[in-house]
Amino acid sequence: ITGCISGYHTIHNQKPIPDLRMTLPLRSTPKSLCLLRLSAVGDISHTLPLVRTLQQHWPETRITWIIGKTEHQLVPDIPNIEFVVFDKSKGWRGYREIRQQLHDRQFDVLLHMQMSLRASLISLLINSPIKLGFDRQRAKDMQWLFTNYKIAHKQQQHVIDSFFGFSEALGIQEHLLAWDIPISEDAYVFVKEQLPGDQHTLIISPCSSMAYRNWNTEGYAALADYATEQHNMHVVLTGGPSSIEQEYGNNITTLCKHKPLNLIGKTNLKQLLAILQRATTVISPDAGTAHLATAVGT
């Protein structure tokens, strides 16, 4: 707590920096860059095109990514990225661990890409003269208090486009829509065991983190049976281990005439990614699964 308070006063007692909204005054390519995006899985996927853009334009820049523990499981093997993992379940001990890892580090630029108080507290532990965040209009949870530069304000942007606002502020105008998330051989073996052969496969991931986005189980079941009867598709249910996802999976399976393969709560993120890559079609509300399917071109 003391470190966070000290960091806050360090930012707000320094000489004010102009609120430049287009291009930062970088005199040269930064040697080091810290990216702060902890969660969620879908938004971690959305962050990757920005990361790939930075890597292509500044291959010599050392990139450090502060990321949540669960979300890190998706990307630990991406080359040329140093990951600093934050475990929110540890409470204040998690912040102390971040402080210990970064206390003697200096970054040329911090990209503060998450509008949450948790992320903003971590930003206070990061030593950088440029702390770039969202514009005041979009900076929820008072994120604007924790940054001294803002990206340009634009309305009605997709999340990926808003993230590209950070690279644009750094002077990079190209948008590289590339994800290239490595998938382990173990994950491919898992998929072959679960989905042998080459039958067309429909993945239904029925739930999002916000219940109002979810369709009803009767609709999902009718869709699953239609895909089986009319298109001879193998139907697979995917999702996490939460109680609502487990309930959805059980109810859909019960309602289906042709029982789907229920893998809800039975895959890790790499296995899920491999399943989505194998699939013919993915149906999901606005949730991480839909964004991962985009990442693998399904």
Side-chain angles (χ1 to χ4, degrees), residues 52 72-81 83 180-185 270 273:
R52 296 308 191 187
H72 178 246
Q73 299 172 28
L74 180 66
V75 293
D77 42 4
I78 291 183
N80 302 319
I81 299 287
F83 289 99
D180 301 326
I181 307 173
I183 300 177
S184 66
E185 186 59 36
K270 291 292 191 182
L273 199 66

Side-chain angles (χ1 to χ4, degrees), residues 247-264:
E247 182 180 354
Y248 256 76
N250 292 335
N251 290 342
I252 292 169
T253 300
T254 299
L255 291 168
C256 282
K257 293 184 292 182
H258 310 280
K259 302 307 179 186
L261 173 63
N262 187 356
L263 294 181
I264 291 177

Side-chain angles (χ1 to χ4, degrees), residues 158-267:
H158 188 277
V159 175
I160 292 180
D161 293 321
S162 72
F163 287 174
F164 277 131
F166 286 82
S167 54
E168 290 169 0
L170 295 170
I172 300 172
Q173 299 306 314
E174 180 186 359
H175 296 172
L176 180 62
L177 287 171
W179 288 260
D180 301 326
I181 307 173
I183 300 177
S184 66
E185 186 59 36
D186 288 344
Y188 284 125
V189 170
F190 173 82
V191 173
K192 290 179 181 178
E193 292 173 349
Q194 299 297 323
L195 300 172
D198 56 0
Q199 185 179 7
H200 285 186
T201 301
L202 170 65
I203 303 297
I204 297 178
S205 182
C207 298
S208 77
S209 59
M210 310 230 176
Y212 69 85
R213 297 174 177 171
N214 300 341
W215 199 21
N216 56 72
T217 53
E218 292 81 5
Y220 283 126
L223 179 64
D225 282 336
Y226 183 88
T228 300
E229 294 171 0
Q230 299 299 319
H231 298 283
N232 191 33
M233 298 184 84
H234 190 178
V235 179
V236 180
L237 307 181
T238 65
S242 70
S243 58
I244 187 172
E245 289 172 285
Q246 299 279 5
E247 182 180 354
Y248 256 76
N250 292 335
N251 290 342
I252 292 169
T253 300
T254 299
L255 291 168
C256 282
K257 293 184 292 182
H258 310 280
K259 302 307 179 186
L261 173 63
N262 187 356
L263 294 181
I264 291 177
K266 300 177 183 178
T267 62

Side-chain angles (χ1 to χ4, degrees), residues 133-148:
F134 285 93
D135 53 280
R136 179 69 177 270
Q137 294 93 325
R138 289 183 286 183
K140 298 178 182 178
D141 292 332
M142 299 185 294
Q143 193 219 36
W144 58 273
L145 285 172
F146 298 84
T147 59
N148 52 14

Side-chain angles (χ1 to χ4, degrees), residues 69 86-94 118:
K69 180 181 178 181
F86 174 70
D87 186 353
K88 65 181 180 181
S89 68
K90 293 183 178 181
W92 286 109
R93 186 158 59 93
R118 179 182 292 120

